[in-house]
Amino acid sequence: MLLAFLLSLAYLYKSWTHVGRDPEAGTVFPHYEPPKGYSPASTRYISKMGYDNKAFSAAIINLAVKGYLTISKIGDEYTLSKKVSDGRLAAGEKILLTTLFNKEDTIALDPENLTTISKAKKAHSAALKNDYNKIYFNLNSFVLLPSLLGTLILFSIVAVTGALTPMAGILFVLTDVLHVVFFFLMRAPSIKGRRLLDRLEGFRLYLEVAEQDDLNLKNPPDRTPELFESYLPFALALGVEQAWAEQFTEVFAKLEIEQ
């Protein structure tokens, strides 16, 4: 089992140097607009090289911004209500909207609707995978199979021959952990994906830096409630929603005074 661990480590490291290294990042320039042709959920999916709950949340908020649904809160429960709109939708957003409201025009985000919500997330994830996986990044998970199979074979031999000891068991677990670590390390953006990530990093700088003068931007857009709303899904997708909201503290305070 020690041999299995050492051989796996050597093989996985060598494989990572061949396919898992990220392309070198380019020069990042601040941008005050998101990349054209990408939804907030797609930017999250590409930047994380996978689907998560924030991709779902970013898509829901973007659908609300575009007028396709409303989000209401009663107590601790959120409810989504379908609306009619003519805003342009990404392919993943269309599938998400259709799956969420396939039976009724209102759905509560609670455990009772977990099946529908899970189905909607799965459909949304599949749509994003179809559009961006193997184009903007590669998971390279197939590279792990030879060492994983070799480890299982050696473990089986050790177990069948009655040579399984606590130390051998610990080494087997460590080898499994090693494969899990490299499962994530093997993910790498493509050249096209790297360029998009650099562009997203520039937009993220704009969203999170409060003092826009520090970014040397020419003619940045005025901070208005409409701007806050339209960029909020992207801020959530890029993980800077709190910083983006803080930039508008004075704007909303002024609106409250005027009202």
Side-chain angles (χ1 to χ4, degrees):
M1 293 314 302
L2 178 60
L3 180 63
F5 177 81
L6 294 175
L7 288 176
S8 293
L9 178 60
Y11 168 79
L12 292 172
Y13 178 78
K14 185 177 180 180
S15 299
W16 173 76
T17 60
H18 282 290
V19 300
R21 286 185 183 272
D22 292 1
E24 187 175 349
T27 304
V28 175
F29 299 98
H31 299 280
Y32 52 80
E33 289 183 348
K36 295 186 182 299
Y38 299 92
S39 68
S42 68
T43 62
R44 177 75 182 183
Y45 183 78
I46 294 169
S47 62
K48 293 299 180 181
M49 290 183 276
Y51 190 84
D52 61 7
N53 286 331
K54 271 202 172 183
F56 173 74
S57 300
I60 291 296
I61 294 176
N62 202 45
L63 286 170
V65 171
K66 292 179 177 180
Y68 279 95
L69 59 81
T70 57
I71 305 172
S72 56
K73 183 180 181 182
I74 302 177
D76 294 330
E77 184 179 279
Y78 288 92
T79 299
L80 309 179
S81 301
K82 187 178 180 181
K83 293 177 63 180
V84 177
S85 178
D86 57 359
R88 186 177 180 181
L89 292 179
E93 292 174 333
K94 291 179 183 178
I95 293 174
L96 179 59
L97 192 66
T98 302
T99 312
L100 276 176
F101 301 105
N102 65 331
K103 294 181 179 179
E104 299 181 2
D105 289 343
T106 300
I107 182 171
L109 300 181
D110 59 26
E112 293 183 4
N113 295 311
L114 183 60
T115 300
T116 300
I117 296 169
S118 297
K119 188 181 295 184
K121 287 182 177 180
K122 187 176 181 179
H124 189 213
S125 175
L128 293 172
K129 180 179 179 180
N130 183 64
D131 288 340
Y132 303 108
N133 193 13
K134 296 184 179 179
I135 299 174
Y136 289 85
F137 64 89
N138 290 288
L139 297 178
N140 298 314
S141 54
F142 66 90
V143 177
L144 279 69
L145 290 178
S147 62
L148 188 59
L149 289 174
T151 299
L152 291 174
I153 291 172
L154 285 175
F155 180 77
S156 299
I157 293 173
V158 170
V160 169
T161 56
L164 185 60
T165 64
M167 181 56 68
I170 292 173
L171 286 168
F172 176 69
V173 172
L174 288 176
T175 307
D176 288 342
V177 171
L178 185 68
H179 282 84
V180 172
V181 171
F182 273 93
F183 173 78
F184 291 100
L185 290 178
M186 289 295 179
R187 298 178 177 183
S190 63
I191 298 299
K192 185 175 183 179
R194 182 68 262 173
R195 286 198 295 264
L196 178 62
L197 292 176
D198 293 340
R199 181 72 169 76
L200 287 173
E201 179 62 19
F203 183 53
R204 188 185 66 81
L205 283 175
Y206 165 72
L207 293 175
E208 72 173 348
V209 176
E211 297 300 327
Q212 299 299 320
D213 291 340
D214 294 343
L215 299 179
N216 296 318
L217 287 172
K218 295 181 179 180
N219 303 317
D222 294 331
R223 289 174 179 166
T224 63
E226 291 76 19
L227 182 70
F228 171 78
E229 184 181 73
S230 63
Y231 285 176
L232 179 59
F234 286 98
L236 178 65
L238 298 175
V240 291
E241 64 273 19
Q242 184 63 35
W244 179 241
E246 289 175 356
Q247 292 192 43
F248 287 79
T249 302
E250 294 182 4
V251 175
F252 289 114
K254 184 178 179 180
L255 285 177
E256 287 184 7
I257 294 174
E258 291 177 352
Q259 292 176 354

